[in-house]
Amino acid sequence: MATALVTGASSGIGEATVRALLADGFTVYAAARRLDRMAPLAAAGAKLLSLDLTDDASIVAAMATIQAHGRLDVLVNNAGYGSYGALEDVPMAEARRQCEGNLFGLARLCQLALPMMRAQKSGKIVNVTSVGGKMWEPFGAWYHATKFAVEGLSDCLRMEVAPFGIDVIVIEPGAIRTEWSGIASDSLLHMSGATAYGPAAHQLAKLHAGANASRLSSPPEVVARTIAKSVRARHPRTRYATGGSAHTILFLRRILSDRMFDGLMRRVAASAG
Ligand SMILES: NC(=O)c1ccc[n+]([C@@H]2O[C@H](COP(=O)([O-])OP(=O)(O)OC[C@H]3O[C@@H](n4cnc5c(N)ncnc54)[C@H](OP(=O)(O)O)[C@@H]3O)[C@@H](O)[C@H]2O)c1
């Protein structure tokens, strides 16, 4: 049976993706740090893996379980969080943790998955970036740096592994109703709520905190359906923008100059009050 590994499966997009791939008949390994949160997925038929992407030993151990299983057809690199705060305020240790979680951990999983996929002469690596891999907002320097990086990494990797029958697909969600926005606004206030950047930081935190209530946001199942569709496709696109006004945001980014886009993002933040 075709086998998939989904990271960040304890919540949001990852959890919905596990359910979508189970429904499509995959054997699904669901990975995250919070095993207790994945109990309902185990009940639905997923196999649980403990995984901390900031810890190499944890990544190697998780992949050893998959190697023992003997097959990996689809790797969905979905786990991630938004580390927010003014660049001036964020300690470099937190910047490195953000890169470990969102970028290096993802790359390490690819390294460990590729020998199996090359041996099979097939496989799909699905990297969940964000519209934030192409646009920006203030106080998101490290988060956006990791998402821009995963966009570029995915393009390079796609060309490297194509000769082995392996495909790399980028998923770019817009605003999605998950735990992401609460984590991002908490980290923003923690880092910059009481610094020189405080007033603007409070404004953006309000916007993030309200994101899940916005009618412009989408439920995580929308992204999960796109991921499942890309996995089923014989000739998948290189990129899928999906949910939460992703297409509108990317269109505006394309047609506006950098400074016009800055102005738009400022007005959006100010609208939160
Ligand atoms: N929500 C949005 O608006 C949005 C928009 C664009 C892109 N995205 C991207 O979509 C992906 C999924 O996010 P989500 O919205 O579903 O957020 P979420 O509900 O907060 O889920 C994030 C998942 O990542 C896991 N995770 C975080 N740090 C980890 C680590 N060090 N090691 C292993 N797992 C870790 C969490 O599991 P544990 O804490 O249990 O480990 C959780 O399962 C992320 O890459 C995010 O950047 C989200």
Side-chain angles (χ1 to χ4, degrees):
M1 200 188 278
T3 300
L5 165 60
V6 180
T7 69
S10 61
S11 168
I13 294 169
E15 181 179 350
T17 301
V18 171
R19 291 188 188 282
L21 294 180
L22 283 171
D24 279 353
F26 279 84
T27 297
V28 185
Y29 285 87
R33 292 170 299 187
R34 292 171 296 175
L35 285 174
D36 54 318
R37 286 284 303 266
M38 297 191 288
L41 291 181
K47 298 171 187 292
L48 305 191
L49 280 179
S50 169
L51 175 68
D52 181 350
L53 286 167
T54 65
D55 173 4
D56 194 63
S58 164
I59 298 173
V60 170
M63 282 306 290
T65 303
I66 308 271
Q67 279 149 0
H69 172 74
R71 190 166 184 89
L72 184 61
D73 300 278
V74 176
L75 166 61
V76 182
N77 280 313
N78 160 75
Y81 74 102
S83 175
Y84 273 69
L87 185 99
E88 186 182 338
D89 297 331
V90 177
M92 289 313 290
E94 171 53 26
R96 289 195 178 91
R97 199 170 79 92
Q98 174 80 125
C99 293
E100 290 290 344
N102 288 13
L103 174 62
F104 299 138
L106 170 154
R108 186 73 175 121
L109 276 178
C110 292
Q111 280 188 336
L112 295 168
L114 282 168
M116 253 185 297
M117 290 183 171
R118 277 193 299 101
Q120 292 162 194
K121 297 186 172 56
S122 69
K124 281 185 175 146
I125 295 176
V126 181
N127 290 336
V128 178
T129 65
S130 169
V131 291
K134 286 184 173 155
M135 51 72 82
W136 55 86
E137 59 185 347
F139 307 122
W142 289 112
Y143 178 69
H144 287 272
T146 63
K147 294 300 187 183
F148 272 65
V150 173
E151 292 269 347
L153 176 150
S154 302
D155 288 324
C156 296
L157 184 62
R158 183 179 66 251
M159 296 194 69
E160 290 169 14
V161 300
F164 303 103
I166 301 165
D167 217 332
V168 178
I169 300 159
V170 170
I171 304 289
E172 297 166 332
I176 310 300
R177 283 171 228 136
T178 68
E179 294 177 3
W180 186 94
S181 55
I183 293 169
S185 60
D186 286 353
S187 85
L188 173 53
L189 291 181
H190 176 67
M191 291 296 170
S192 293
T195 72
Y197 301 91
H202 277 275
Q203 217 171 36
L204 185 70
K206 219 186 252 179
L207 187 75
H208 277 178
N212 282 359
S214 163
R215 64 189 168 76
L216 299 177
S217 65
S218 303
E221 287 73 19
V222 169
V223 183
R225 277 198 293 275
T226 303
I227 293 173
K229 181 174 121 185
S230 77
V231 164
R232 282 193 304 265
R234 211 170 155 71
H235 300 293
R237 303 210 306 256
T238 56
R239 286 182 160 68
Y240 294 79
T242 175
S245 314
H247 290 281
T248 310
I249 295 167
L250 293 179
F251 173 71
L252 289 170
R253 173 60 208 113
R254 262 198 312 277
I255 61 166
L256 296 178
S257 70
D258 291 352
R259 288 197 194 282
M260 285 166 79
F261 195 79
D262 289 356
L264 174 69
M265 294 312 289
R266 250 184 239 115
R267 278 198 295 283
V268 169
S271 71

